[in-house]
């Protein structure tokens, strides 16, 4: 068909143009997979700028960001004229006069290169195409990548095509905005907004001329012209940009002179740690949203989402403070308990031989060492025992030490950790999430990733099963030895639980009293009567999702569960028998604020309102019944205006795990304390019980919440029953002189004879609460020690309590 063109020069020109068109078409369609992927019109219309997603609390406090490339997009109106002028004068002076490819600049560049003055000819739009669509990324390359010179030419042609598509789709202002939102500034910093904060700690719309020139100058080579690492080079490059601005009329000679004499004046903003906000909460939200993001086609690290959690920033702050204050005390207590002794012990107290070496074998690096040294144990041990510099966690701040891997294992095995969660069960909003003591050093989340023995915090499910079977809080049981027969693995076994004191009082107690005192023997009797299958059933109904082995000891907390599960289950009692699935995210919007998803908690009634109210009444027994295990809470300022708190302590065997589950009229909070290494634990009940480890965290937390008038949470009693209570529940308990079972631990496989007990009939209560509401602020609940100790001893106890309160008050004033 070309022969029809008679004029040969014209014919050859048409043939050349035709071949060029064919060539570009083959590139565009990736013919035979030679050239790699090219952005489509759809890609151009909806560019993925890999924008960071932002994480907020319920009260709109920014607490973290998700990003692969640290960027925060801005609008054109936020870009100063000086920034635009500096960019155009330096990178593409004919930007406003071309359509994506500047042929004049291209030809000029070719001539300059031939003459030895090598310079680029990429337009701002071409650079945007490269940054936005990664045209030179390996994943975008075709087979041509194996041909060195040809691949460079092809990549340039692909950038031309993409640049022209961008120019057809967007205005010059939009292209400049996208460019400044995507361009890298080094240190994993992308976009003018992030760079402005990183190097000058100010917003982009407040940049001075010389500051804009510095940032634009960095684009030539972000490492070479980094103002922190190479200030002299950065200053020189900045002044080159200023001279370009003068050359093309954006600055007068006087302005150039003035700006070029100014110092760099770097004022670095803290963005890396603050804005990423690595934390247990940030990681928990990522896990929480993983399925949603996949199902809806979003990437938390690139989609520019705004994620609004249910977390209350005030409560989160108070929880973190309470954890830090108490855990620092507990760590010293544990260290003092063992001194220079090795703390990793078997259940009978014997040191575990070769514990650090065996722990080292569980490390990921151990398998690599075996390969590296061909299984030579001496070489492996030499590596593991070789000291090296490392940073370790301590409550006095991170420390630089020279530890071997074995030293590190020994050190961290004895570090106590914690998990804490607070829930509003009425709407399912998680208000507090503390996954551990320090995210940088301990990534494992102790709220929903870790599972530990629940101890006596699991007992309420046995009492719930009893209420469901028709019993009442006033039904009586005797604290006596118990031997329960059961079948397991086709054989007959016997369970003989003991009280933590290794003795039995022989006293008759109501169910409320027994639960408040956490008496193992009575819990076991109730379990035998209602059936351990039912204990498991009602635990699952309330929200426990972990596998539970149906054995008699289940009611004493022999199963491993998470803090998350326990808080959810206890929330069923406060929410009038309606189980609520906790939610961590309330709303997600796109970057422009359009709502993409609202989250609401799923709810299901699993208990009657009557049963739920009776369980709350039982929980109050921990504070109100004689010897109740929650009465250490009296140390904190929690008892004003008729305030009521229900709760349950828990301690697993050998004081490995300490728990406290606290319930107020508004919230449910769960706290666990222990070492990640279960063989390391406290030695005595006085130091290691949940009432001495986890409960104080709850007490400190709630005191801070109540003292903040702006928190939205106030003192007050539990609500009156919203339905008729058909069972007897007002059965005052006697005061007694000897308490042999008040400690709260899981213990099995022993029998003991009951101690004798003298009951003082004159000490029976006559109301369902031990202390009238109007007197609660003035006096603590009565207990054994108050009835039997001399007046001088009582005065001494009162004096010590007052000293502790004054000490806490002084500490708060110092912190403030």
């Amino acid at each position: 068909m070309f022969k029809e063109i008679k004029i040969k020069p014209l014919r050859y020109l048409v043939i050349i143009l035709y071949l060029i068109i064919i060539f570009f078409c083959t590139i565009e369609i990736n013919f035979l997979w030679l050239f790699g992927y090219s952005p489509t019109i759809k890609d151009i219309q909806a560019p993925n700028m890999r924008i960071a997603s932002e994480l907020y609390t319920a009260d709109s406090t920014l607490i973290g960001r998700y990003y692969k490339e640290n960027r925060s997009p801005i609008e054109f109106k936020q870009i100063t004229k000086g920034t635009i002028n500096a960019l155009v004068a330096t990178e593409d002076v004919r930007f406003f006069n071309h359509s994506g490819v500047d042929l004049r600049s291209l030809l000029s560049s070719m001539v300059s290169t031939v003459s030895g003055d090598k310079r680029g000819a990429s337009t701002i739009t071409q650079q945007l195409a490269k940054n936005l669509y990664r045209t030179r990324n390996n994943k975008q390359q075709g087979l041509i990548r194996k041909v060195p010179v040809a691949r460079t030419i092809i990549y340039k042609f692909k950038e031309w095509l993409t640049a022209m598509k961008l120019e057809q789709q967007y205005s010059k202002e939009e292209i400049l905005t996208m460019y400044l939102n995507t361009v890298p500034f080094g240190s994993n910093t992308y976009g003018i907004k992030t760079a402005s904060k990183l190097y000058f700690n100010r917003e982009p719309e407040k940049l001075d001329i010389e500051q804009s020139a510095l940032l634009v100058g960095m684009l030539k080579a972000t490492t070479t012209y980094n103002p922190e690492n190479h200030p002299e080079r950065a200053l020189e490059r900045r002044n080159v940009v200023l001279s370009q601005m003068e050359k093309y009329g954006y600055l007068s000679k006087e302005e150039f002179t003035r700006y070029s004499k100014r110092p760099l004046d770097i004022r670095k903003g803290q963005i890396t740690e603050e804005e990423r906000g690595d934390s247990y909460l940030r990681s928990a939200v990522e896990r929480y949203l993983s399925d949603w993001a996949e199902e809806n086609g979003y990437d938390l690290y690139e989609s520019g989402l705004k994620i609004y959690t249910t977390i209350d920033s005030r409560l989160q702050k108070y929880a973190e403070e309470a954890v830090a204050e108490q855990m620092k005390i507990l760590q010293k207590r544990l260290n003092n308990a063992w001194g220079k002794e090795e703390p990793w012990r078997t259940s009978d107290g014997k040191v575990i031989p070769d514990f650090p070496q065996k722990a080292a074998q569980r490390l990921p690096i151990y398998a690599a060492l075996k390969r590296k040294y061909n299984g030579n144990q001496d070489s492996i041990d030499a590596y593991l025992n070789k000291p090296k510099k490392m940073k370790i966690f301590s409550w006095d701040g991170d420390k630089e030490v020279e530890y071997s891997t074995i030293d590190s294992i020994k050190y961290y095995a004895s570090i106590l950790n914690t998990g804490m969660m607070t829930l509003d069960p009425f709407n399912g909003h998680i208000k507090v999430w503390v996954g551990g003591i320090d995210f940088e050093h301990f990534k494992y989340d102790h709220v929903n990733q870790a599972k530990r023995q629940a101890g006596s915090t699991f007992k309420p499910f046995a009492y719930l099963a009893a209420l469901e079977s028709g019993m009442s809080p006033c039904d009586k049981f005797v604290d006596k030895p118990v031997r329960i027969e059961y079948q397991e693995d086709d054989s007959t076994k016997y369970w003989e639980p003991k009280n933590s004191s290794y003795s039995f009082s022989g006293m008759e107690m109501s169910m409320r009293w027994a639960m408040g005192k956490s008496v193992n023997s009575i819990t076991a009797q109730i379990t035998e009567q209602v059936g351990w299958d039912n204990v498991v059933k009602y635990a699952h109904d309330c929200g426990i999702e972990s596998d539970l082995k149906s054995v008699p000891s289940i009611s004493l907390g022999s199963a491993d569960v998470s803090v998350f599960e326990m808080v959810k289950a206890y929330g069923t009692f406060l929410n009038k028998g309606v189980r609520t699935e906790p939610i961590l995210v309330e709303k997600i919007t796109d970057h422009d604020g359009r709502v993409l998803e609202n989250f609401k908690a799923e709810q299901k009634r699993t208990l009657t309102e009557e049963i739920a109210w009776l369980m709350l009444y039982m929980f109050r027994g921990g504070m109100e019944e004689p010897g109740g295990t929650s009465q250490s809470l009296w140390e904190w300022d929690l008892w004003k205006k008729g305030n009521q708190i229900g709760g349950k302590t828990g301690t697993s065997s050998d004081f490995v795990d300490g728990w406290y589950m606290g319930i107020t009229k508004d919230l449910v909070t769960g706290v666990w304390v222990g070492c990640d290494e279960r063989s390391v634990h406290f030695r005595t009940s006085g130091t290691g019980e949940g009432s001495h480890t986890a409960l104080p965290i709850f007490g400190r937390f709630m005191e801070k919440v109540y003292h903040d008038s702006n928190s939205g949470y106030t003192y007050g009693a539990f609500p009156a029953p919203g339905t008729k209570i058909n069972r007897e529940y007002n059965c005052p308990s006697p005061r007694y002189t000897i308490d042999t079972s008040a400690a709260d631990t899981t213990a099995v496989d022993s029998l003991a004879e009951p101690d004798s007990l003298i009951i003082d009939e004159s000490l029976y209560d006559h109301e369902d609460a031990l202390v009238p509401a109007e007197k609660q602020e003035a006096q603590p609940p009565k207990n054994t020690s108050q009835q039997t100790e001399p007046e001088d001893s009582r005065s001494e106890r009162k004096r010590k309590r007052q000293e502790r309160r004054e000490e806490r008050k002084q500490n708060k004033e110092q912190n403030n």
Side-chain angles (χ1 to χ4, degrees):
M1 65 178 180
F2 296 110
K3 291 182 178 180
E4 295 178 2
I5 303 175
K6 302 302 182 181
I7 304 173
K8 285 188 177 182
L10 181 59
R11 182 195 308 168
Y12 295 147
L13 179 61
V14 171
I15 291 173
I16 292 171
L17 290 174
Y18 181 78
L19 292 175
I20 290 174
I21 293 172
I22 294 296
F23 175 66
F24 277 105
C25 288
T26 57
I27 292 177
E28 185 69 14
I29 65 174
N30 192 19
F31 181 69
L32 295 178
W33 299 279
L34 288 171
F35 308 107
Y37 176 79
S38 294
T40 65
I41 294 299
K42 184 178 180 181
D43 295 329
I44 298 296
Q45 292 174 340
N48 179 6
M49 295 174 62
R50 294 176 288 280
I51 302 171
S53 294
E54 297 176 335
L55 189 66
Y56 295 88
T57 60
D59 45 343
S60 299
T61 299
L62 178 65
I63 54 175
R65 303 173 75 227
Y66 301 93
Y67 58 80
K68 295 174 184 174
E69 298 175 353
N70 186 9
R71 75 172 86 244
S72 294
I74 58 174
E75 298 178 3
F76 183 78
K77 63 183 179 181
Q78 295 175 270
I79 305 171
T80 65
K81 187 175 181 180
T83 301
I84 294 172
N85 292 342
L87 178 63
V88 171
T90 307
E91 297 292 329
D92 186 3
V93 71
R94 284 177 35 80
F95 172 73
F96 293 101
N97 299 315
H98 62 66
S99 298
V101 179
D102 188 356
L103 295 178
R104 183 193 299 181
S105 179
L106 177 62
L107 293 173
S108 174
S109 174
M110 293 172 63
V111 171
S112 298
T113 301
V114 171
S115 64
D117 182 19
K118 185 177 180 181
R119 61 184 178 85
S122 291
T123 65
I124 288 175
T125 316
Q126 285 175 247
Q127 294 179 48
L128 173 62
K130 182 172 64 175
N131 294 336
L132 199 58
Y133 298 103
R134 301 181 180 181
T135 54
R136 302 193 183 190
N137 187 284
N138 286 334
K139 293 181 180 180
Q140 309 286 26
Q141 298 175 4
L143 298 175
I144 198 71
R145 69 180 181 274
K146 298 181 179 180
V147 185
V149 178
R151 70 186 178 194
T152 303
I153 297 173
I154 295 300
Y155 299 156
K156 183 62 68 174
F157 286 153
K158 287 172 68 175
E159 287 171 12
W160 288 2
L161 289 171
T162 305
M164 288 187 286
K165 293 176 189 175
L166 286 168
E167 290 277 352
Q168 291 174 357
Q169 185 68 37
Y170 299 104
S171 67
K172 291 292 186 178
E173 290 182 356
E174 290 171 326
I175 289 172
L176 283 172
T177 304
M178 285 193 288
Y179 178 84
L180 288 171
N181 279 330
T182 58
V183 71
F185 285 91
S187 303
N188 196 30
T189 301
Y190 292 78
I192 190 72
K193 180 174 182 179
T194 310
S196 298
K197 186 168 185 181
L198 177 62
Y199 295 110
F200 299 110
N201 198 25
R202 56 172 47 186
E203 296 300 318
E205 57 265 39
K206 296 182 180 179
L207 288 174
D208 294 331
I209 295 290
E210 73 277 7
Q211 292 172 335
S212 295
L214 174 67
L215 295 179
V216 168
M218 288 180 64
L219 299 179
K220 183 176 182 180
T222 56
T223 301
T224 302
Y225 300 113
N226 185 295
E228 280 192 296
N229 302 328
H230 306 289
E232 293 182 358
R233 295 178 192 170
L235 181 62
E236 182 181 355
R237 176 62 183 166
R238 183 202 70 178
N239 289 346
V240 168
V241 174
L242 291 172
S243 68
Q244 286 292 103
M245 295 177 71
E246 181 198 5
K247 177 180 178 181
Y248 292 108
Y250 294 115
L251 291 179
S252 65
K253 187 173 182 179
E254 292 76 15
E255 288 174 324
F256 166 72
T257 302
R258 183 168 71 252
Y259 292 135
S260 61
K261 288 182 179 180
R262 290 182 180 178
L264 292 180
D265 195 22
I266 299 300
R267 302 174 184 177
K268 191 169 183 182
Q270 299 298 318
I271 70 164
T272 304
E273 182 175 339
E274 173 191 335
E275 293 203 3
R276 182 184 288 275
D278 282 341
S279 65
Y280 295 104
L281 180 58
R282 179 180 174 277
S283 295
V285 171
E286 183 176 0
R287 294 191 300 272
Y288 183 85
L289 290 178
S290 60
D291 290 341
W292 178 88
E294 184 177 352
E295 292 170 2
N296 293 276
Y298 291 104
D299 185 335
L300 292 187
Y301 288 83
E302 295 188 349
S303 297
L305 305 174
K306 291 183 181 291
I307 303 163
Y308 294 88
T309 69
T310 59
I311 296 296
D312 185 308
S313 62
R314 290 176 183 271
L315 269 61
Q316 181 73 19
K317 173 177 176 288
Y318 296 144
E320 291 173 357
E321 289 175 353
V323 162
E325 292 165 5
Q326 180 64 14
M327 292 302 292
K328 187 173 184 178
I329 294 171
L330 293 177
Q331 190 62 57
K332 289 181 180 179
R333 184 190 301 172
L334 181 65
N335 294 343
N336 292 337
W338 291 102
K340 295 183 179 180
E341 296 182 65
E342 294 180 327
W344 32 87
R345 306 291 176 112
T346 61
S347 58
D348 58 358
K350 296 180 180 178
V351 175
I352 299 174
D354 301 326
F355 165 80
Q357 290 74 21
K358 291 177 181 177
Q361 294 175 13
R362 300 194 295 267
L363 297 175
I365 193 177
Y366 194 84
L369 291 175
K370 287 184 70 175
R371 292 191 298 269
K372 179 178 180 180
Y373 297 114
N374 296 318
N376 186 302
Q377 193 61 46
D378 289 340
S379 298
I380 295 173
D381 290 341
Y383 178 90
L384 295 175
N385 285 281
K386 182 180 179 180
K388 48 187 173 290
K389 288 185 178 181
M390 63 176 66
K391 184 172 67 173
I392 62 170
F393 166 83
S394 86
W395 282 108
D396 296 321
D398 289 350
K399 293 183 178 179
E400 294 285 346
V401 297
E402 283 202 3
Y403 273 5
S404 68
T405 302
I406 295 297
D407 293 333
S408 176
I409 289 172
K410 290 179 179 179
Y411 178 79
Y412 280 111
S414 299
I415 298 294
L416 285 166
N417 223 309
T418 189
M420 178 178 179
M421 173 178 152
T422 297
L423 174 71
D424 179 342
F426 303 108
N427 58 19
H429 288 189
I430 298 172
K431 296 297 183 180
V432 164
W433 188 292
V434 181
I437 57 174
D438 186 274
F439 183 78
E440 181 179 351
H441 294 278
F442 308 92
K443 303 295 186 187
Y444 199 53
D445 195 315
H446 298 84
V447 171
N448 69 341
Q449 288 184 314
K451 293 188 178 183
R452 301 296 290 252
Q453 279 195 342
S456 295
T457 57
F458 210 84
K459 287 178 180 176
F461 301 116
Y463 290 88
L464 170 61
L467 293 179
E468 290 284 3
S469 72
M471 298 186 203
S472 79
C474 294
D475 283 1
K476 301 292 198 300
F477 291 84
V478 176
D479 176 19
K480 63 182 182 180
V482 178
R483 190 169 193 258
I484 298 176
E485 177 183 316
Y486 67 103
Q487 300 296 315
E488 185 179 33
D489 299 328
D490 298 324
S491 62
T492 300
K493 296 185 178 181
Y494 297 92
W495 180 48
E496 302 176 8
K498 60 180 178 291
N499 290 328
S500 61
S501 62
Y502 296 91
S503 62
F504 303 87
S505 67
M507 178 151 185
E508 186 178 67
M509 299 181 185
S510 69
M511 287 209 309
R512 186 183 194 244
W513 191 5
M515 184 172 128
K517 279 174 54 65
S518 200
V519 182
N520 290 347
S521 66
I522 292 180
T523 305
Q525 294 173 57
I526 291 173
T527 302
E528 182 178 31
Q529 188 164 330
V530 302
W532 37 91
D533 286 345
N534 282 323
V535 176
V536 170
K537 173 187 179 301
Y538 287 113
H540 283 317
D541 286 349
C542 287
I544 301 298
E545 297 176 352
S546 295
D547 290 335
L548 302 175
K549 192 173 182 180
S550 185
V551 292
S553 61
I554 188 66
S555 60
L556 297 193
S558 59
D560 284 358
V561 294
S562 68
V563 172
F564 182 92
E565 293 174 280
M566 291 297 286
V567 173
K568 176 172 70 170
Y570 272 56
T572 303
F573 304 127
L574 183 57
N575 195 26
K576 300 181 180 180
V578 176
R579 185 185 69 208
T580 305
E581 295 297 326
I583 59 174
L584 192 51
V585 175
E586 185 176 11
K587 180 178 68 174
I588 299 177
T589 72
D590 64 14
H591 186 74
D592 296 321
R594 290 186 291 269
V595 176
L596 302 176
E597 190 81 47
N598 283 306
F599 295 86
K600 290 190 177 180
E602 296 179 3
Q603 295 188 322
K604 179 182 178 181
R605 176 165 294 282
T606 58
L607 308 175
T608 66
E609 190 171 342
E610 179 185 16
I611 293 292
W613 187 89
L614 287 172
M615 283 301 298
L616 285 182
Y617 178 73
M618 299 269 284
F619 280 117
R620 284 167 46 195
M623 278 300 301
E624 298 172 358
E625 292 288 346
T629 59
S630 292
Q631 291 180 6
S632 296
L633 285 177
W634 196 264
E635 182 177 345
W636 287 274
D637 186 22
L638 306 176
W639 309 103
K640 295 178 179 178
K641 302 178 182 178
N643 196 45
Q644 291 177 330
I645 294 177
K648 189 71 196 75
T649 55
T651 314
S652 65
S653 297
D654 301 324
F655 319 109
V656 173
D657 304 290
W659 289 76
Y660 191 71
M661 302 297 301
I663 308 175
T664 68
K665 64 182 176 63
D666 303 301
L667 302 168
V668 175
T669 297
V671 182
W672 165 85
V673 172
C675 290
D676 287 321
E677 174 53 55
R678 299 193 191 207
S679 65
V680 181
H681 46 77
F682 289 99
R683 308 180 79 158
T684 65
S685 62
T687 56
E689 285 181 356
S691 59
H692 301 300
T693 59
L695 178 146
I697 294 177
F698 173 80
R700 289 173 182 269
F701 167 64
M702 287 308 305
E703 184 180 67
K704 293 172 184 287
V705 172
Y706 285 145
H707 283 182
D708 183 355
S709 59
N710 296 317
S711 72
Y713 297 95
T714 59
Y715 297 97
F718 286 111
T723 187
K724 183 179 180 182
I725 306 301
N726 296 304
R727 305 184 198 189
E728 181 184 6
Y729 64 89
N730 188 357
C731 42
S733 301
R735 300 292 181 180
Y736 55 94
T737 57
I738 301 175
D739 180 11
T740 63
S741 56
D744 186 13
T745 61
T746 299
V748 295
D749 301 328
S750 73
L751 282 172
E753 295 299 321
D755 291 337
S756 59
L757 182 74
I758 299 174
I759 300 176
D760 186 349
E761 297 289 348
S762 67
L763 297 176
Y764 274 76
D765 290 327
H766 301 287
E767 302 293 339
D768 76 11
L770 288 178
V771 185
E774 64 273 13
K775 296 183 180 180
Q776 285 185 353
E777 189 172 345
Q779 69 178 86
K782 302 174 184 177
N783 56 35
T784 302
S785 61
Q786 289 175 317
Q787 292 300 320
T788 59
E789 64 185 357
E791 183 66 30
D792 290 345
S793 298
R794 292 200 297 272
S795 299
E796 180 65 15
R797 286 166 57 85
K798 183 176 181 180
R799 183 185 65 80
K800 288 182 177 180
R801 285 199 303 272
Q802 184 62 32
E803 287 178 353
R804 287 195 297 269
R805 289 173 181 167
E806 289 296 326
E807 184 179 353
R808 290 203 312 277
K809 183 177 179 181
Q810 292 174 5
N811 289 337
K812 291 176 185 175
E813 291 175 350
Q814 291 174 0
N815 292 334
N816 291 333

